[in-house]
Amino acid sequence: MRETELSRRRFLELSGALAAAGVTAPVWLRMSEAAALDPGVRAVGGRKLLVLLLQGGNDGLNTVVPYTSSDYYRRRPTLALNPGGVLKLAGSTEFGLHPSLKTVHDLYGKGQVAIVQGVGYDDPNLSHFDSMDIWQTASPTRAVGSGWLGRWLDVTPEEGRPIRAAAIGNQLPTLLVGGTASGVAIPSLNGFRFYDGIDTTAKGSLTETEAYRLHQAFLTCVSSKPEDPAAAAYVSAARKAVAAVRSVNAMSDPTKAKAPATLADQVAMAVTLLSSNLGIEIAFVSEGSFDHHAGQLPAHAKLLTSVDDAVARFMQATAATGHGNDYLLMTMSEFGRRPEENGSNGTDHGTAAPLFAIGPGVKGGLHGQQPKLAASALDENKNLVRAVELREVFATVIEKWLGRADAKDVLKYSAKDGIHPIAFLR
Amino acid sequence: MALLTALSASPSARTREQVARLFHRAAFGATVGEIDQWAAKGYDATVEHLLDFGTSSTRVDDLGGDGLGSGVAPIDLTGAGDATVESAQRWWLNRMATTSYPLEEKLTLYWHGHFATAAKKVHHTSYLLRQNTLLRDHAAANFHAMCNAITEDAAMLLWLDGTDNQRNELNENYGREFMELFTLGRDRYSQHDVVEAARAFSGYRVDGFGQVTFHKDLHDDGVKTFLGQRGRWGATDITDIVLDRHPDGPVAARYVARRMAAFFHRPDPEPALVDAMAASFRGNGYDIRAMVRTLLLRPEFITASRLTIKSPAELVAGAARGLGLAGRGLDSADLDVLARACSEMGQALFNPPDVSGWKGGVTWANTATVLARYNFAALAADQVRQDVIQRVVDDVQGVPAATAKPWMDRLGLLSLSPTTEQAIKEYVTREKKVDDAALARGVLTLLLASPEFNLR
């Protein structure tokens, strides 16, 4: 929003007009969530994870294409991709990428893309919402309220990081909500601020402006610890918001950063946050909708182009930090789509699908297994049968990448569940 | 919370609290004056007052087309020219903030989340506005008829690919969501039922003017086995079977009752309350008004021990109503502040995130959306007319903290929590650089962003 539209009757203080007089936060403010500006926070290195959610159910078969399968061409008379256009994967005589995924294909050739095929869970749920919950909570058999990355935050030490996980956008996905810890939602670097005046200097000190006094009073207003769960959620989010806004405003000039317009912009913003001194370890972006029940070919090609552009930006931006090896991008989607196309040049809800892990830290190549497309190999709803359980992928991410926790604790499985991490990371 | 602690006082004070809360939950708030006026008549009488509205599109005061009988943000509902989504959002928030029938509007908002349809795929705002009229006309009427109407709604047909669902070229999208999200909930049907429902729903087209037509030759009129019942089922048969002949019994009534209770009451409503609502819904032939009356009169609702975070539309429309930020004579830039704030708080009207609508509950509160609530509070305080501010300042005669009282009267807040009182005191003590009018706006900002005003 432009200030001229917002402040029609009263002059609002703007960042440029602020006196840079730093003040010490009063005692009543030094609650944990408001400790964002603690000068003790160091530039935090360590590994970073960016999750890219393909919302709506991405068509796995037209993403990693089994271009030699006669079943594939038989089931998809109008939607099957021409073998000539598919980007063949080096070392494979069966699989190639959708023509939109040029950057991903290049990176695959350089060993920086791991593709895990056939990822899903048993007794698949064809509802977007149930299946999305299962992917985010990593709990295929019973509904739980916390996300698996949120639970990883719960069990790993905070180490003075004011923000540990950030979703780009104005929604916080369940994925980043733990039992006690949780991530924050940040829609854009320049929109994430107080419209009545920024109270933080670029160095992170607070400036005692009119807006500052109001923000401090707002913190008092939400300083209660109510027992009511909804009230507790509100005041806790409010305290976190003030702290996070001040942290982000201190990190970069919010009036100069542009709002993300594309998925690639969102990825760039995510990398800015991940590489900042806020200590953010996990970021989340999403693209969609991939729910292509009709007119799939052009719509899917367009979305995958957006994904490919985002991957290119990810590699570029992470390399520019000088610590490219610290970054991993992982995709996920609530399900793949039915092998057999429907009557409207689209596909209905499916099950298992491939996912991508991208970055210098992966073991490049194909992992897992492509489920068979023959009629006898499909499930009762004519869908693919998963080869890899989703927790086998997440366990690898926890143990081989994020570390500091036992995957069994975070993903809540035991030996009898037969979960075997997939070795797609170095 | 102050709302919950005062309930043990004298009967009249208790009634006053209950009526105030009723207005925040079943309407878009009310002034303390209105609350007192209705508390004197009693809680039950207030419920009947709120339920007393006819069918919007046949009401004299609605014939202007904007629902206000005025020229505010006029929108052509005939579909001749297509409005922008933003103009539709302004129009609807303005209507919520000014309507004489707030429960009708609140129910329309509920149904917009229940039958969630989004502009990002439908593209024609005029179709969405027609759907909005459909939802309003059926808001408290018959659910059975509403289901049949929504099946033939142009926006819905485009949204869930109904226009692509033809004989021998089936598309499962509407058939699945009709059961999963609109009527039954999960686990009450099989994938086979989804396919059979898709067959029964086949045959609709939408022309270039948004008119829906049914084509016999595109409809699959063969025998289907749906939820175990064989017949040459068509669209209305599916509604009949789902609502009245489901093998598990009246599960649809319970599903809808639970969703509605989660919206008006609390995200995890008491099973006894849901049962009572479902019984009255079903016992009255799916009459929505009967179910809503049951909800509003149940002890679990009246003395609710849990709070719920107000949805952005409730918050924005409620603030606009109390502070005079909506109504006639305002330009679209004024109303745009409301519409944008609502979107930034996570509720872009006519653009729900997906067909399951807004998750609501505690998901309304994250760092981005609560910041948006604070920013709206500051903007709304800024938008209040100078003469209103002046009156408030004059009334308190040099005691800035006292401006809380007149603002509370307008916002329908009967009391404040100790922390909010403390916050106001700190602010007016600490802030010495600005005049009384600016302080009055600052106090209003705090009240609008307070837990008291953001929860109900």
Side-chain angles (χ1 to χ4, degrees):
Chain A
M1 287 202 212
R2 296 202 316 274
E3 273 70 35
T4 49
E5 293 173 83
L6 300 178
S7 177
R8 292 158 58 79
R9 298 199 179 90
R10 185 173 59 151
F11 173 73
L12 296 182
E13 297 169 63
L14 301 174
S15 62
L18 288 179
V23 293
T24 312
V27 176
W28 48 268
L29 257 178
R30 291 182 198 146
M31 61 192 77
S32 61
E33 290 101 331
L37 300 166
D38 182 345
V41 174
R42 57 204 151 77
V44 187
R47 287 175 160 178
K48 319 282 186 179
L49 172 68
L50 174 63
V51 177
L52 164 52
L53 179 71
L54 310 178
Q55 242 169 345
N58 177 43
D59 184 11
L61 288 171
N62 273 18
T63 302
V64 180
V65 185
Y67 64 90
T68 58
S69 161
S70 56
D71 285 314
Y72 169 69
Y73 289 96
R74 197 165 52 242
R75 292 182 191 287
R76 297 198 162 181
T78 63
L79 292 187
L81 298 173
N82 183 340
V86 167
L87 307 172
K88 313 280 187 314
L89 291 177
S92 166
T93 54
E94 293 175 75
F95 301 104
L97 299 181
H98 186 286
S100 292
L101 296 174
K102 292 185 178 63
T103 306
V104 178
H105 183 250
D106 284 352
L107 291 168
Y108 187 91
K110 295 175 185 158
Q112 299 200 337
V113 175
I115 298 172
V116 188
Q117 295 184 283
V119 188
Y121 53 90
D122 292 335
D123 198 9
N125 191 313
L126 300 184
S127 153
H128 286 290
F129 315 102
D130 289 349
S131 201
M132 183 66 90
D133 275 349
I134 288 168
W135 273 85
Q136 297 206 17
T137 62
S139 179
T141 51
R142 63 185 184 92
V144 299
S146 61
W148 62 275
L149 286 172
R151 293 197 299 272
W152 180 80
L153 295 175
D154 284 343
V155 301
T156 50
E158 206 176 271
E159 293 172 341
R161 296 175 167 89
I163 305 174
R164 298 185 64 202
I168 311 306
N170 69 359
Q171 298 303 311
L172 184 65
T174 308
L175 181 68
L176 301 186
V177 177
T180 50
S182 76
V184 302
I186 304 180
S188 67
L189 287 178
N190 71 335
F192 197 61
R193 63 190 166 106
F194 295 109
Y195 292 158
D196 58 356
I198 292 159
D199 62 16
T200 312
T201 67
K203 285 182 182 157
S205 55
L206 296 168
T207 54
E208 189 152 346
T209 55
E210 184 196 348
Y212 165 81
R213 287 183 282 278
L214 212 38
H215 302 159
Q216 298 302 80
F218 177 52
L219 277 176
T220 300
C221 197
V222 295
S223 63
S224 57
K225 302 274 183 205
E227 275 175 33
D228 183 84
Y234 183 77
V235 296
S236 153
R239 293 193 296 258
K240 267 193 179 160
V242 175
V245 167
R246 287 174 170 169
S247 298
V248 169
N249 288 180
M251 188 192 90
S252 69
D253 182 349
T255 58
K256 286 189 179 148
K258 272 195 228 144
T262 62
L263 179 65
D265 292 346
Q266 285 189 36
V267 164
M269 177 181 152
V271 174
T272 301
L273 286 170
L274 286 167
S275 62
S276 74
N277 65 357
L278 300 178
I280 302 178
E281 297 166 272
I282 299 168
F284 172 93
V285 295
S286 69
E287 174 67 295
S289 166
F290 286 82
D291 192 22
H292 296 131
H293 285 276
Q296 176 172 313
L297 279 180
H300 194 225
K302 200 172 155 199
L303 282 181
L304 288 183
T305 298
S306 158
V307 169
D308 198 64
D309 291 346
V311 168
R313 191 80 76 86
F314 173 77
M315 296 306 290
Q316 195 184 16
T318 55
T321 67
H323 300 281
N325 290 343
D326 287 346
Y327 289 81
L328 174 69
L329 180 152
M330 178 183 140
T331 67
M332 56 189 237
S333 186
E334 69 263 42
F335 42 58
R337 306 195 74 81
R338 194 92 34 93
E340 187 132 1
E341 66 183 49
N342 67 18
S344 40
N345 301 325
T347 47
D348 292 320
H349 300 180
T351 51
L355 60 75
F356 295 98
I358 300 175
V362 308
K363 271 188 197 153
L366 294 169
H367 302 266
Q369 200 173 16
Q370 171 60 45
K372 295 276 175 289
L373 285 156
S376 60
L378 300 180
D379 72 11
E380 57 181 5
N381 298 322
K382 299 182 191 167
N383 273 319
L384 301 173
V385 175
R386 65 99 179 158
V388 174
E389 221 259 21
L390 45 80
R391 286 174 295 181
E392 299 181 308
V393 174
F394 302 161
T396 307
V397 171
I398 289 167
E399 298 201 328
K400 290 278 198 173
W401 191 258
L402 294 173
R404 285 169 282 159
D406 187 336
K408 285 192 190 68
D409 295 343
V410 174
L411 300 173
K412 315 276 185 205
Y413 63 85
S414 61
K416 70 171 170 42
D417 292 313
I419 303 290
H420 304 290
I422 306 286
F424 65 95
L425 295 174
R426 286 181 197 279
Chain B
M1 300 295 304
L3 272 177
L4 296 182
T5 50
L7 295 179
S8 55
S10 69
S12 66
R14 193 191 303 137
T15 303
R16 201 164 167 253
E17 292 280 354
Q18 290 172 349
V19 167
R21 203 158 171 211
L22 176 66
F23 275 109
H24 284 293
R25 300 207 290 170
F28 294 94
T31 63
V32 170
E34 289 167 315
I35 291 165
D36 285 336
Q37 180 200 331
W38 283 102
K41 295 178 188 171
Y43 180 91
D44 292 9
T46 312
V47 167
E48 289 311 319
H49 161 67
L50 288 171
L51 281 168
D52 185 18
F53 54 89
T55 304
S56 164
S57 56
T58 58
R59 244 178 0 229
V60 175
D61 59 354
D62 265 289
L63 297 179
D66 61 6
L68 303 167
S70 75
V72 178
I75 276 170
D76 182 4
L77 291 175
T78 62
D82 229 340
T84 63
V85 181
E86 290 76 16
S87 71
Q89 291 171 340
R90 291 195 291 266
W91 167 80
W92 196 10
L93 281 167
N94 197 28
R95 180 170 178 135
M96 288 181 206
T98 52
T99 176
S100 310
Y101 310 99
L103 179 53
E104 172 186 70
E105 223 49 46
K106 196 79 168 259
L107 280 163
T108 308
L109 179 63
Y110 167 75
W111 292 118
H112 178 43
H114 185 106
F115 293 110
T117 305
K120 61 192 162 201
K121 180 164 167 186
V122 174
H123 299 305
H124 298 274
T125 307
S126 59
Y127 302 1
L128 286 163
L129 284 164
R130 256 181 282 165
Q131 184 190 76
N132 187 258
T133 300
L134 183 163
L135 298 177
R136 187 172 295 101
D137 280 348
H138 289 82
N142 186 276
F143 183 69
H144 199 127
M146 189 181 207
C147 285
N148 285 334
I150 207 79
T151 295
E152 299 189 339
D153 174 66
M156 183 60 79
L157 282 162
L158 294 174
W159 170 237
L160 293 183
D161 304 308
T163 53
D164 284 312
N165 179 33
Q166 313 297 357
R167 184 167 58 121
N168 298 328
E169 296 186 349
L170 296 178
N171 186 306
E172 296 171 6
N173 208 358
Y174 183 72
R176 174 185 310 280
E177 307 305 6
F178 181 81
M179 291 188 282
E180 178 181 336
L181 295 169
F182 301 164
T183 57
L184 291 173
R186 59 173 81 98
D187 301 333
R188 297 292 185 187
Y189 54 88
S190 67
Q191 172 59 25
H192 176 77
D193 296 321
V194 171
V195 175
E196 298 296 78
R199 294 176 64 203
F201 285 128
S202 63
Y204 290 102
R205 281 277 160 91
V206 177
D207 73 13
F209 302 97
Q211 297 308 308
V212 175
T213 48
F214 179 74
H215 301 261
K216 251 181 131 61
D217 55 322
L218 299 175
H219 174 70
D220 181 341
D221 65 351
V223 173
K224 294 128 191 142
T225 304
F226 176 69
L227 289 170
Q229 296 164 59
R230 270 176 68 80
R232 289 185 185 278
W233 309 130
T236 59
D237 299 314
I238 297 299
T239 309
D240 292 347
I241 294 170
V242 160
L243 296 187
D244 293 325
R245 307 205 302 275
H246 194 285
D248 298 341
V251 287
R254 207 166 184 289
Y255 171 78
V256 178
R258 194 180 189 288
R259 260 192 98 165
M260 189 172 269
F263 176 90
F264 282 96
H265 176 44
R266 56 188 273 181
D268 54 342
E270 300 86 346
L273 168 79
V274 174
D275 288 343
M277 288 171 70
S280 107
F281 197 25
R282 176 96 168 149
N284 288 283
Y286 288 101
D287 182 61
I288 298 163
R289 187 175 263 103
M291 174 168 65
V292 174
R293 180 178 286 115
T294 301
L295 166 68
L296 302 184
L297 293 175
R298 285 285 295 192
E300 296 94 329
F301 181 85
I302 299 171
T303 62
S305 60
R306 284 286 172 83
L307 295 166
T308 303
I309 298 175
K310 283 181 186 170
S311 65
E314 289 177 88
L315 182 85
V316 168
R321 205 175 175 88
L323 300 171
L325 303 181
R328 301 175 194 205
L330 291 171
D331 60 25
S332 63
D334 288 315
L335 296 171
D336 202 41
V337 168
L338 308 182
R340 281 178 187 237
C342 201
S343 299
E344 291 191 359
M345 292 176 201
Q347 191 171 35
L349 296 171
F350 301 104
N351 250 330
D354 55 49
V355 62
S356 67
W358 291 277
K359 278 202 177 108
V362 295
T363 69
W364 287 130
N366 65 48
T367 51
T369 54
V370 175
L371 172 64
R373 283 176 189 242
Y374 177 86
N375 282 334
F376 169 67
L379 283 170
D382 201 42
Q383 294 268 345
V384 173
R385 289 202 319 273
Q386 185 57 39
D387 60 309
V388 175
I389 296 282
Q390 201 51 54
R391 220 174 313 142
V392 165
V393 170
D394 292 345
D395 282 354
V396 299
Q397 299 183 354
V399 187
T403 56
K405 180 70 172 56
W407 294 134
M408 287 164 65
D409 287 347
R410 285 166 184 270
L411 298 174
L413 294 173
L414 298 183
S415 60
L416 297 180
S417 66
T419 40
T420 299
E421 280 182 356
Q422 173 70 14
I424 290 170
K425 205 184 293 171
E426 274 172 12
Y427 167 66
V428 297
T429 312
R430 212 177 158 81
E431 179 57 80
K432 296 202 169 62
K433 292 184 189 163
V434 299
D435 60 20
D436 286 356
L439 280 176
R441 291 191 199 269
V443 170
L444 178 57
T445 301
L446 292 174
L447 288 173
L448 289 169
S450 69
E452 286 88 329
F453 192 63
N454 281 269
L455 292 140
R456 55 169 171 84

